[in-house]
Amino acid sequence: MLQNILLAADPAESVDFMIHGIFSYQLFGQEVWITTSHVCLLIVVLVLCAFFIIGGNVFRHAKTTPSGFQNFLELIVEFLDGMVDKTMGKKGNGFKDYIGTIFIFILFSNISGLFGLRPPTADYGVTLPLGLITFTLIHVNAFRYNSIKAVWADKCSPLPPWLPLWMPINLISDIAVPISLSLRLFANVLSGTVMMALVYGLLQKVAYGWPAVLHVYFDLFSGAIQTYVFCMLTMTYISNAMGGEENA
Amino acid sequence: MGEFNQAFIYGCSAIGAGLAVIAGIGPGVGQGIAAGYGASAVGRNPGAKGDITSTMLLGQAVAETTGLYGLLVAMLLLFVKPFKLTM
């Protein structure tokens, strides 16, 4: 009977990491659900809005010798700007706002598992749009900074431009970029969520206190690493697409 | 074909899920190699520790993707249950 003491009575009932519908409504004849990930996303966005409004107020009355909260904010902004500068160089000046925003958003989403929410990034509907924004940015910038001829030559790249035999393979590798970006983030956060749900669901009676260690690894460490990787890859892809004079 | 019921399909899905997460071996080896070379690079040039660490983490995260695809397949087999008996 040790099993009954240690483990939950009915594992199938108590392990729960799925997205649940809250209420449904009709839209153009389709049944659309408002789910728990919408709610968690809304909470994350509201917290971030409050944070940004307070931060904006602090910076409006900024002092030359920063103290307290202003110090903290300057640390964050300097870290994010430095990251973009180091990866993209001079080309990254226009992307500091975007990269900083998605960095803070993904980071807050990933670590919201610490506060009992289901992380919004553990829903493919949240990470796929992030990947698609990156995809759009890559191709808009490829066309903005290169001539159409250069883009065509790049798409036929191992072969000369008049022989577009290699083009389908290059197109497939372009389409794979947003899919692999979004699946990487999604699967990492989902695996952390599933592991925590298994610990809490199966070991209900003994899961007190010590799962904090697992939270540090799965939510904080893994979440921060994945945030960093998403932003780094986005910046690398964009600066590759912008190209220099020699590799258009 | 009468003896195949839904429980049989679920059982086979569970076996398939277990086989799918064998994909985790590859990224484990790859990340270990990356970490080993990262450590030796830091040993040779301790001044470049920050750059080496960020490059290593980026490479490891990209290498991790294949293992995560295996995990996703296992998740789909276990929880989405794509194979239904249609007769």
Side-chain angles (χ1 to χ4, degrees):
Chain A
M1 285 286 102
L2 184 66
Q3 196 194 0
N4 276 349
I5 300 167
L6 275 182
L7 300 179
D10 189 359
E13 287 290 306
S14 52
V15 177
D16 179 33
F17 54 86
M18 291 297 200
I19 303 165
H20 297 287
I22 293 176
F23 70 92
S24 66
Y25 59 96
Q26 298 285 325
L27 188 71
F28 304 122
Q30 299 281 327
E31 194 186 26
V32 186
W33 281 87
I34 294 289
T35 60
T36 44
S37 52
H38 287 101
V39 177
C40 293
L41 192 58
L42 195 67
I43 294 172
V44 169
V45 170
L46 286 180
V47 168
L48 281 182
C49 279
F51 179 69
F52 287 144
I53 289 171
I54 294 171
N57 261 330
V58 168
F59 272 130
R60 199 163 298 135
H61 312 294
K63 296 189 263 315
T64 39
T65 46
S67 62
F69 194 53
Q70 193 191 341
N71 239 333
F72 177 63
L73 291 176
E74 285 187 7
L75 196 74
I76 297 174
V77 172
E78 267 173 20
F79 166 71
L80 292 173
D81 282 0
M83 193 177 77
V84 180
D85 264 339
K86 216 169 70 180
T87 321
M88 296 178 82
K90 221 174 242 155
K91 290 182 275 186
N93 280 338
F95 292 96
K96 280 176 180 164
D97 299 337
Y98 173 66
I99 299 290
T101 312
I102 58 165
F103 191 96
I104 295 175
F105 170 67
I106 298 175
L107 186 67
F108 265 65
S109 298
N110 286 352
I111 65 176
S112 67
L114 269 183
F115 306 104
L117 299 178
R118 190 183 185 281
T121 34
D123 183 344
Y124 196 52
V126 176
T127 56
L128 181 64
L130 290 171
L132 287 178
I133 295 171
T134 301
F135 179 75
T136 316
L137 277 176
I138 291 169
H139 290 285
V140 166
N141 283 301
F143 278 105
R144 192 199 273 166
Y145 288 91
N146 300 294
S147 60
I148 291 177
K149 222 172 168 181
V151 173
W152 174 267
D154 183 49
K155 288 283 169 285
C156 312
S157 79
L159 297 174
W162 48 267
L163 189 64
L165 262 182
W166 211 256
M167 194 155 186
I169 295 178
N170 280 332
L171 287 182
I172 287 172
S173 72
D174 279 353
I175 292 169
V177 165
I179 297 173
S180 79
L181 262 182
S182 54
L183 275 182
R184 179 178 304 123
L185 182 59
F186 165 67
N188 266 294
V189 182
L190 181 72
S191 65
T193 311
V194 170
M195 291 299 286
M196 292 320 294
L198 285 178
V199 167
Y200 284 126
L202 292 178
L203 301 175
Q204 309 184 306
K205 313 234 167 71
V206 284
Y208 286 110
W210 62 267
V213 181
L214 298 179
H215 270 298
V216 169
Y217 178 75
F218 285 121
D219 290 331
L220 280 179
F221 179 72
S222 182
I225 293 274
Q226 288 310 315
T227 310
Y228 181 70
V229 164
F230 190 94
C231 293
M232 278 307 245
L233 285 177
T234 299
M235 287 186 288
T236 317
Y237 283 130
I238 292 174
S239 65
N240 270 349
M242 286 156 89
E245 263 67 53
E246 69 286 348
N247 54 346
Chain B
M1 300 295 277
E3 63 263 38
F4 289 153
N5 53 12
Q6 193 63 51
F8 179 77
I9 293 176
Y10 285 164
C12 286
S13 295
I15 294 174
L19 291 177
V21 287
I22 292 178
I25 293 176
V29 173
Q31 290 184 330
I33 290 173
Y37 278 112
S40 80
V42 173
R44 253 182 277 124
N45 186 2
K49 190 172 178 225
D51 281 349
I52 291 168
T53 311
S54 67
T55 312
M56 186 190 80
L57 284 178
L58 196 65
Q60 285 183 330
V62 174
E64 200 179 10
T65 314
T66 49
L68 289 172
Y69 288 160
L71 176 77
L72 277 182
V73 170
M75 291 276 191
L76 287 177
L77 283 173
L78 280 182
F79 298 109
V80 184
K81 297 185 178 116
F83 299 115
K84 294 262 158 51
L85 203 62
T86 50
M87 265 197 245

